[in-house]
Amino acid sequence: MTKLGWGMIGGGEGSQIGPAHRLGAGLDGLFEFRAGALDHRAEAGREYGRRLGLDADRAYGDWREMLEGERDRPDRIDLVTVATPNATHFEITRDFLRAGFHVLCEKPMTMTVEEGEEIVSIARETSRICAVNYGYSGYSLVRHMRAMVARGDLGNIRLVKAEFAHGHHADAADADNPRVRWRYDPAQAGVSAQFADCGIHALHMASFVIGQELERLSADTVSCIESRTLEDDAMVNLRFDGGAVGRLWTSSVAIGRQHGLTLQVFGEKGGLSWAQEQPNQLYWMPLGGRRQVIERGEAGLSPEADRSSRVTIGHAEGMPLAFANIYADLAEAIAARKTGREMDAAADLYPRAEDGLRSMAAVFAVAESSRSDGIWTEARPPMFR
């Protein structure tokens, strides 16, 4: 297959997320890195792009220059990844979609529900792919969990428990650290800090695995470090449209927790448990049976798990490999559209703009519910009610 053209906005030198995207996009040889606007400092972005191998005329100074430079090229990029600060996601994603590019946007997709609805509408009107990087849904055993639920191994799902709790912002002395402070500043982060940063990953994974969408929620949020305006800990009760109950805890002050993304799913026939820090093992407890360990890469797993398992059994699976599965899904979707064929069903798992919109609606619902002492609050965006 001819390599697809890929470009990146943001993710420059020293970026936390940029290398993971570049590794993920390049892993399978499906995408070629052809264009980038990698830094808010124009010359630094151009210089870094050239060092990464971009042609000088495609190492752009900013995203607007990149849009104009790529728009009419016969070899223009097929997919652009938006990995810039949160408040810029909407404008960049909107304009590239309107220009006919497929987009993978970092989360959160937008800063408001209204912006999210506009992105969904534009993606539908232009028939362009707009994906959102809930990259942890790319893990092989997360996809196997989804397959087990879908084929009925657990029966009706009763309860899902999701956590994304770490302790890396627990030091009150870090209150003035600019790398931390902005996350709790409403002017830069919006209406939510920890839930919008980490909680929506846990929420998306829960919904992704059980195949149900969030309808309403009740939230209790707190700023454990009093100088913070926005929350650093949240406990959220969830109700899904298929009848499942959810419990979600997210925190940035849980000293001793590192990454802390875990998911447990309980149905009438059994339960599943997975942790992102130990991604090679999925624990399965059938009703009345003994607990079993499902190993990533072993024989007899689902097509979704087989397709997304990258290294032989027993070797560590890492975050860039999960990102690579999202990129592989997108490559398959773009190639299928180009050739007019049906895409591989086992690859049709990338998070959509609709997922980004639902997450933003949940962020605002959490903020509203917490302000109202945990009152049950509608969590669906208006266009999906």
Side-chain angles (χ1 to χ4, degrees):
M1 185 181 91
T2 302
K3 287 188 179 183
L4 298 168
W6 175 63
M8 189 173 194
I9 302 169
E13 190 166 17
S15 162
Q16 179 182 9
I17 205 68
H21 277 286
R22 288 188 286 274
L23 287 168
L27 184 67
D28 295 304
L30 301 173
F31 288 99
E32 182 179 20
F33 185 31
R34 295 179 186 167
L38 304 176
D39 200 296
H40 68 280
R41 300 164 299 169
E43 286 308 315
R46 291 191 182 99
E47 193 275 331
Y48 187 52
R50 290 192 293 269
R51 277 196 279 131
L52 291 176
L54 295 180
D55 292 340
D57 65 335
R58 302 182 85 174
Y60 297 101
D62 61 49
W63 70 267
R64 291 182 177 86
E65 181 184 327
M66 179 170 162
L67 178 59
E68 291 308 310
E70 293 295 314
R71 188 195 303 268
D72 297 321
R73 290 183 67 109
D75 61 344
R76 77 181 206 163
I77 55 175
D78 297 284
L79 174 71
V80 60
T81 292
V82 179
T84 54
N86 296 354
T88 67
H89 290 178
F90 167 69
E91 184 179 17
I92 300 172
T93 298
R94 179 196 63 194
D95 288 4
F96 272 85
L97 286 173
R98 284 177 173 169
F101 294 90
H102 302 296
V103 178
L104 170 61
C105 183
E106 263 299 333
K107 45 65 59 180
M109 183 177 74
T110 61
M111 295 292 284
T112 70
V113 176
E114 293 77 15
E115 289 175 348
E117 292 192 328
E118 185 173 345
I119 293 296
V120 169
S121 295
I122 293 170
R124 291 175 176 179
E125 290 164 5
T126 59
S127 296
R128 298 293 88 184
I129 292 169
C130 182
V132 183
N133 190 41
Y134 292 111
Y136 304 114
S137 63
Y139 277 100
S140 177
L141 289 181
V142 171
R143 295 182 168 200
H144 188 62
M145 292 175 79
R146 176 186 170 97
M148 290 181 69
V149 170
R151 72 192 185 195
D153 291 7
L154 283 73
N156 290 329
I157 302 303
R158 294 169 172 166
L159 175 66
V160 57
K161 182 173 181 286
E163 296 183 358
F164 197 157
H166 65 83
H168 299 300
H169 299 164
D171 189 349
D174 273 342
D176 291 324
N177 181 340
R179 293 178 65 88
V180 175
R181 185 179 61 230
W182 75 268
R183 298 175 183 273
Y184 303 93
D185 177 5
Q188 299 181 73
V191 298
S192 171
Q194 180 60 18
F195 186 82
D197 185 28
C198 294
I200 57 174
H201 273 300
L203 175 60
H204 175 264
M205 184 176 288
S207 183
F208 176 79
V209 167
I210 69 173
Q212 298 182 31
E213 301 295 350
L214 178 64
E215 285 193 332
R216 56 197 180 98
L217 58 78
S218 169
D220 178 28
T221 68
V222 64
S223 299
C224 292
I225 295 179
E226 294 180 358
S227 62
R228 291 173 177 163
T229 303
L230 298 176
E231 88 286 351
D232 50 26
D233 187 277
M235 181 67 76
V236 188
N237 291 312
L238 312 167
R239 296 293 186 272
F240 292 91
D241 60 4
V245 172
R247 314 293 187 203
L248 190 157
W249 172 49
T250 185
S251 183
S252 63
V253 295
I255 297 173
R257 294 286 289 260
Q258 292 301 321
H259 197 254
L261 176 60
T262 66
L263 186 71
Q264 294 174 277
V265 182
F266 305 100
E268 59 187 359
K269 296 181 183 178
L272 292 167
S273 178
W274 179 84
Q276 190 261 339
E277 291 180 42
Q278 292 84 38
N280 277 5
Q281 288 80 40
L282 171 63
Y283 295 95
W284 162 235
M285 179 72 180
L287 181 66
R290 293 182 177 179
R291 190 170 80 154
Q292 303 169 23
V293 181
I294 297 173
E295 292 281 351
R296 184 204 49 78
E298 70 182 26
L301 298 185
S302 61
E304 294 88 344
D306 289 341
R307 187 181 186 279
S308 55
S309 185
R310 300 304 189 129
V311 292
T312 54
I313 188 169
H315 292 82
E317 180 182 32
M319 183 187 76
L321 299 183
F323 279 32
N325 287 328
I326 301 295
Y327 277 100
D329 292 347
L330 290 169
E332 169 64 11
I334 294 169
R337 290 182 181 216
K338 282 190 167 187
T339 58
R341 62 172 173 82
E342 292 293 322
M343 72 176 294
D344 182 352
D348 195 10
L349 297 175
Y350 62 88
R352 267 73 165 173
E354 288 83 355
D355 298 306
L357 169 58
R358 291 183 188 277
S359 294
M360 187 48 54
V363 166
F364 277 84
V366 164
E368 180 182 344
S369 175
S370 184
R371 286 194 300 267
S372 304
D373 293 327
I375 191 171
W376 282 96
T377 302
E378 172 67 65
R380 296 172 296 177
M383 72 184 301
F384 294 159
R385 295 177 191 172

